[in-house]
Amino acid sequence: MKEINLKSLIITVVIGLIIWFIPVPDGVKPNAWHLLAIFVATILGIILKAATMGSMAMIGITMCAATEVLAPGDPVKSIANALSGFGNSTIWLIGLAFFIARGFIKTGLGTRLAYSFIRIFGKSSLGLAYGLNTADLILAPAIPSNTARAGGVIFPIMKSIAVNMGSEPDKPETHRKIGAFLTLSSYNANMITSVIFLTATASNPMAQKFAKDLGITITWSSWFIAAVVPGLACFLLAPLFLYKFYPPELKKTSDAPGMAAVKLKEMGAITIQEWLMVATFIILLVLWMFGNLFAIDATTGALIGLCILLLCGVLTWEDVKSEKAAWDTIVWFSSLVMMGSYLNSLGFIGWFGHLIGGKMSHLSWQLAFPIIILVYSYCHYMFASATAQAAAMYSVFLAVGISVGVPGTMLAIFLGACATLMGSITHYGHGPAPIFFGSSYVDMKDWWKQGFFISVMFLAVWFLIGGLWWKAIGLW
C-alpha cells in the first residue's frame, strides 16, 4: 500500500458520503447530486494524494458504473457512460501530443534548441533567462506536458548553467548569484508558454471541452489568437520583473555562450532524425492552425503527425507503449472529463451557475467579470494542479459568468489560462513547481512572495493588454 495514504483516503470517503446523503436540493436530479459526491471525492482524493491520480480516476469511474448514477436502472448503459471519456477526441489529442513530444527528447532536438538560444542570448544573466524561455516557447505547442518540458529539457540545462556560473545547490550563500533568478524565471516562463498554446498543457483542452459543453467552441487557432498578445507581454515582462525585484548577483555571463557552443559541438551535426522531427513539427503546426480549412481537426492532425514519425522511424511502437505519462494522462483525464461532462448534461452545472449567478444578477458583467476571475485565480492556493482546479471549478465559474452576461469566449479562455498562470503562487501550484523548487535555489518564503507579486502582474497584463486586444479582435 505504498501508493495509498490511508488517512487521506478515509477523509476522502467520509466527505464523499456526507455529500451523498445530504438531502438533494430542489431543482437537482438525485443522480446528478450523487455524481457530484463521487466527483468531489475524486478531486479531493487527488488534492490530498489519497492515492495516485490514476488510481483515484479508476475508483471514480468504477463508482459511477457501480452506483448507476449515469443511467439509473440500466447497468449496461451505466458502464458504457462511465467509460465514455475514453472516446473523447480532446483526451486523445493530449495523449498523441505526449507521444510526439517523445520525438523531441529522443532525437535531442529539444536540447539542441535550448543550447542554441543560450549561445545567442547568453552573454548576460537576463539574456540567459530569455534564451531558456525562448526554447520553452518554441517547444510548448508540441510538448503538452509542461512538466516534461521543464523536467526533460529546460531544468537540466538551467541547473547546469547555474552550477557552471558558481551557484551550487548545496551552498546557500551562492544561490542568489544566478541560480535563484534563473529558477524563478524558467518556472514562470513555463507557466506563460503553457497558456499561449492550446496543446501546451493538459488543463487547456479540458477547459476547451467544458466550454464546448456550455456552447462555446474554441479551436487551436482561436485560443492562440486570443492568448498570444497577453501571453507574449507576460513572457517579455516576467524576466525583467524578477531582474528588478529579485536580481541575480552575477549580471554578466560571458562564459555561457562558450559552454553552450561546446555542448552543441559534442552533439555533432543535426541528424536526419532531427530534421524529420522539425518537418513533422512544421506539418503539425500547419494542421493545427489551418486544419479547419481542410476539415481536419486537431486530433486528426496529431494522428497524422504520430504516423509520420512512426513511418520515418523517429519513433517506434515500443516508444509509444513505454510513454507512461501519456497513458496515465489518458486514464485520469478521461475520468475527470467524463464526470464533468455528465454534471453538465444532468443539469447540475446549469443549476449551480444560475444559483450563484442570481446572487450576482444585480451586477453588470463588467463588474462581475473581474470578481469571477480573481476568486477563481486565488482559489489556486488550494490546488496542486491546474487540471484539478479546472475539473473542480471551471464549468461552474464559466456558467456563472455566462449567466450574468460576460462574453463567453473571452471568459472561457481567460479562466482556462488562470488555472495555469496561478501556478506561480506556490511551490506546489503546478507539475513543474516541485522540479524547480527541489533545486533548493529559492526558499519557500521567497517563492511565495515573488510568486504572489508575479501573479498580480500576470492578471494586470491579461486584464489590461488582454482586454484591449480582445476588444480589437471582437471578443467583447
Side-chain angles (χ1 to χ4, degrees):
M1 297 180 66
K2 291 181 180 179
E3 292 186 344
I4 305 299
N5 183 323
L6 193 57
K7 180 180 178 181
S8 295
L9 186 61
I10 291 172
I11 294 172
T12 298
V13 172
V14 169
I15 296 297
L17 288 173
I18 289 173
I19 297 173
W20 183 284
F21 288 108
I22 288 175
V24 179
D26 292 337
V28 179
K29 297 177 182 178
N31 58 319
W33 186 257
H34 294 152
L35 174 59
L36 174 69
I38 297 171
F39 180 67
V40 170
T42 303
I43 294 294
L44 186 62
I46 291 171
I47 294 171
L48 297 180
K49 301 187 186 303
T52 61
M53 192 176 287
S55 297
M56 289 306 306
M58 290 306 299
I59 292 169
I61 290 172
T62 302
M63 291 303 298
C64 287
T67 59
E68 299 181 10
V69 295
L70 303 181
D74 190 339
V76 175
K77 187 175 181 181
S78 184
I79 184 62
N81 289 345
L83 295 172
S84 62
F86 290 97
N88 186 287
S89 64
T90 300
I91 291 164
W92 283 99
L93 169 62
I94 291 299
L96 290 163
F98 268 98
F99 302 142
I100 293 164
R102 171 56 49 187
F104 277 88
I105 297 170
K106 182 180 178 181
T107 62
L109 180 61
T111 302
R112 187 184 295 276
L113 280 170
Y115 279 127
S116 295
F117 284 110
I118 290 167
R119 187 175 62 178
I120 297 170
F121 298 111
K123 292 183 180 180
S124 68
S125 52
L126 187 60
L128 273 174
Y130 280 116
L132 286 165
N133 297 352
T134 303
D136 194 320
L137 179 66
I138 289 177
L139 294 171
I143 301 183
S145 168
N146 54 355
T147 305
R149 278 200 319 277
V153 180
I154 303 300
F155 176 75
I157 296 173
M158 183 222 82
K159 186 176 179 181
S160 174
I161 292 169
V163 170
N164 276 277
M165 295 292 127
S167 272
E168 299 282 350
D170 56 352
K171 295 180 180 179
E173 67 275 10
T174 69
H175 289 177
R176 291 298 300 273
K177 192 170 185 179
I178 195 170
F181 168 73
L182 289 181
T183 296
L184 285 183
S185 173
S186 296
Y187 173 67
N188 284 287
N190 186 268
M191 298 299 97
I192 296 164
T193 61
S194 295
V195 301
I196 294 176
F197 307 99
L198 180 65
T199 47
T201 191
S203 61
N204 295 348
M206 177 177 278
Q208 177 199 34
K209 174 63 174 64
F210 289 156
K212 187 176 182 180
D213 291 340
L214 293 173
I216 299 168
T217 300
I218 301 172
T219 64
W220 194 96
S221 57
S222 65
W223 180 290
F224 174 75
I225 291 169
V228 65
V229 170
L232 288 179
C234 289
F235 182 85
L236 294 172
L237 289 173
L240 290 171
F241 180 92
L242 288 167
Y243 196 76
K244 173 68 175 177
F245 297 105
Y246 195 68
E249 295 171 359
L250 184 64
K251 300 296 193 295
K252 299 296 182 182
T253 56
S254 54
D255 293 339
M259 186 193 75
V262 170
K263 294 288 186 180
L264 288 169
K265 187 175 181 180
E266 290 174 358
M267 294 182 72
I270 299 178
T271 64
I272 293 176
Q273 300 288 74
E274 288 178 87
W275 280 120
L276 290 170
M277 191 67 235
V278 170
T280 304
F281 183 38
I282 293 171
I283 291 171
L284 276 169
L285 287 180
V286 170
L287 290 175
W288 282 338
M289 293 176 71
F290 305 108
N292 289 340
L293 300 177
F294 310 105
I296 297 175
D297 68 13
T299 306
T300 304
L303 279 168
I304 292 170
L306 176 61
C307 288
I308 292 172
L309 295 177
L310 289 170
L311 290 171
C312 293
V314 174
L315 293 177
T316 66
W317 188 243
E318 288 299 318
D319 293 324
V320 173
K321 290 195 299 181
S322 63
E323 190 59 40
K324 295 181 180 180
W327 297 112
D328 184 48
T329 300
I330 288 170
V331 170
W332 61 255
F333 203 0
S334 296
S335 171
L336 297 181
V337 166
M338 175 273 293
M339 285 187 274
S341 296
Y342 274 99
L343 279 173
N344 181 63
S345 64
L346 291 174
F348 175 80
I349 298 298
W351 171 83
F352 191 75
H354 285 300
L355 179 67
I356 303 300
K359 298 182 182 303
M360 300 178 67
S361 59
H362 64 286
L363 301 177
S364 66
W365 76 259
Q366 290 89 346
L367 182 58
F369 177 46
I371 293 173
I372 290 169
I373 292 296
L374 289 172
V375 173
Y376 182 80
S377 295
Y378 287 103
C379 280
H380 196 77
Y381 277 107
M382 299 185 295
F383 292 92
S385 160
T387 306
Q389 183 180 10
M393 304 176 69
Y394 180 88
S395 292
V396 172
F397 275 70
L398 181 57
V400 168
I402 292 172
S403 71
V404 297
V406 181
T409 301
M410 178 178 70
L411 179 60
I413 293 174
F414 200 168
L415 284 174
C418 284
T420 297
L421 288 174
M422 292 302 107
S424 65
I425 59 181
T426 67
H427 63 295
Y428 56 80
H430 215 295
I435 297 172
F436 286 96
F437 183 74
S439 69
S440 76
Y441 282 124
V442 184
D443 63 29
M444 191 183 302
K445 178 183 176 182
D446 283 343
W447 192 288
W448 281 52
K449 178 182 176 182
Q450 299 302 325
F452 174 76
F453 291 140
I454 288 172
S455 74
V456 172
M457 185 199 74
F458 284 164
L459 290 176
V461 169
W462 277 69
F463 273 121
L464 298 175
I465 296 177
L468 291 172
W469 173 241
W470 299 327
K471 180 67 173 178
I473 61 177
L475 290 187
W476 64 278

